[in-house]
Amino acid sequence: MNNNTDTPVAIIGLGLMGQALAGAFLRAGHPTTVWNRTTSKATELVADGAQLAATVTDALKAGSLTVICVTDYPAMRQLLGPIETELKGRLLVNLTSGDSTQARAMAGWAEERGARYLDGAIMAIPPAIGTVDAVILHSGRKPDFEAHKGTLDALGTVTYLGEDHGLSALYDVAGLSMMWSVLNAWLQGVALVSTAGVDAATFTPFAHQVAAGTADWLAGYAEQIDTGSYPADDATLDTHVGGMAHLIEESEALGVNAELPRLFKALADRAIAAGHGGKSYPVLVEEFGKQSTVYR
Ligand code: FVH
């Protein structure tokens, strides 16, 4: 593994995130070359010691690896398409957000041109880059990741998911789904308790306890999903649905939005209609594995 801090790196794309990535490489001591369509965004990095490349090709040639972080995949294609013959032998680490189909297509495109390609996803905001709180996911060929992990470590907590280039994008959206689910559930709770004059700060330690306690169930439930067996050792889905009906009634009686609890119950009702009422909660994964029937 290459873990010295004098490995030269290049960053293409100096938006909020690209600037943070370049800054983290610089702080770790890596000779850092940067390129951005709007050159002025490089000013501060250059003052901090970065080299400004005149062209994308110059940037590619300057780094042992090139990190690309632009708005989206079409932008990336616009950047790399005109210089495709320069990609042979280069290692590209794409930290631009997109979906798994785009990631796999980009990997195929880059590899056809002789490049090595890792796709990645950043689970952090720019100020966290360079700290352990910045989780950065990577997928692609393992030897490419292992050869460069020591360099990528400068960016945060760097994780490898597997050879399928689409995995980072899939984990990215799965993580976002977790994040918004927790936030929306908390907001529903805040709205409910506020009807009794309880403010968000007072409610939040309890909400945190519930969220953390629920998270502790996941490993055991994952085992049920992976074995396809759902013994209701704790509570049946029928019991959960009783609680959901209560949540809907209470929300509506208090004038609080009940769309989220109604969604919970609609999914659970379908699983019960399919004969799963006596099973444990994660049997609902079967409903999550199907195309949506509403909100399309
Ligand atoms: N910022 C964040 O918190 C999130 C965290 C999670 C991951 N995202 C993803 O990172 C990608 C870049 O996000 P960003 O925040 O840096 O975005 P911007 O500040 O808007 O910068 C965009 C850069 O992309 C360049 N660019 C766009 N289109 C083109 C193009 N056709 N040719 C060349 N460069 C292009 C743009 O250049 P310029 O406008 O400065 O000239 C910026 O460098 C993104 O996928 C997030 O989802 C960040």
Side-chain angles (χ1 to χ4, degrees):
M1 185 194 296
N2 180 356
N3 56 5
N4 58 46
T5 54
D6 55 13
T7 306
V9 296
I11 313 292
I12 292 177
L14 298 176
L16 293 173
M17 187 51 86
Q19 289 180 47
L21 297 169
F25 277 133
L26 277 172
R27 285 195 299 281
H30 292 281
T32 302
T33 299
V34 295
W35 182 90
N36 195 54
R37 180 178 60 179
T38 309
T39 310
S40 57
K41 290 187 186 171
T43 306
E44 218 171 292
L45 291 162
V46 170
D48 290 342
Q51 293 294 317
L52 178 63
T55 63
V56 177
T57 303
D58 288 346
L60 280 176
K61 286 181 175 166
S64 292
L65 67 84
T66 299
V67 171
I68 304 174
C69 188
V70 290
T71 304
D72 52 22
Y73 280 73
M76 188 175 165
R77 204 54 100 76
Q78 264 179 28
L79 278 172
L80 297 182
I83 55 145
E84 60 182 351
T85 54
E86 303 291 342
L87 297 179
K88 195 166 179 195
R90 311 271 170 218
L91 179 81
L92 306 178
V93 181
N94 176 36
L95 299 183
T96 302
S97 301
D99 63 38
S100 57
T101 304
Q102 289 176 313
R104 291 181 188 124
M106 184 56 82
W109 182 87
E111 288 179 355
E112 276 165 24
R113 281 144 189 89
R116 286 166 295 130
Y117 179 88
L118 292 170
D119 203 87
I122 301 174
M123 311 300 293
I125 53 172
I129 298 300
T131 75
V132 289
D133 293 334
V135 173
I136 306 185
L137 308 171
H138 294 83
S139 46
R141 303 200 192 290
K142 197 169 187 183
D144 290 336
F145 175 76
E146 284 180 341
H148 296 278
K149 180 182 179 301
T151 302
L152 294 167
D153 276 341
L155 302 179
T157 302
V158 168
T159 305
Y160 176 72
L161 299 174
E163 298 265 336
D164 174 356
H165 287 95
L167 281 175
S168 298
L170 283 174
Y171 270 63
D172 189 9
V173 287
L176 292 172
S177 169
M178 295 286 304
M179 182 186 79
W180 286 318
S181 297
V182 172
L183 287 175
N184 284 333
W186 173 68
L187 293 171
Q188 174 86 31
V190 168
L192 280 167
V193 300
S194 74
T195 64
V198 178
D199 66 13
T202 304
F203 170 65
T204 293
F206 168 77
H208 192 276
Q209 201 175 23
V210 174
T214 307
D216 285 344
W217 303 344
L218 299 185
Y221 280 173
E223 216 175 299
Q224 292 194 359
I225 291 171
D226 290 343
T227 56
S229 159
Y230 302 97
D233 301 328
D234 45 10
T236 62
L237 193 55
D238 284 329
T239 302
H240 279 283
V241 163
M244 289 170 186
H246 174 60
L247 169 59
I248 293 167
E249 283 158 22
E250 180 78 314
S251 299
E252 287 178 347
L254 296 172
V256 166
N257 188 308
E259 288 171 50
L260 187 63
R262 281 199 176 280
L263 172 64
F264 299 160
K265 187 164 179 301
L267 287 164
D269 283 343
R270 288 210 292 271
I272 289 171
H276 298 313
K279 298 181 184 172
S280 72
Y281 198 83
V283 73
L284 268 182
V285 74
E286 295 185 9
E287 293 304 317
F288 279 97
K290 294 175 189 164
Q291 280 278 9
S292 319
T293 53
V294 286
Y295 303 125
R296 296 200 70 204

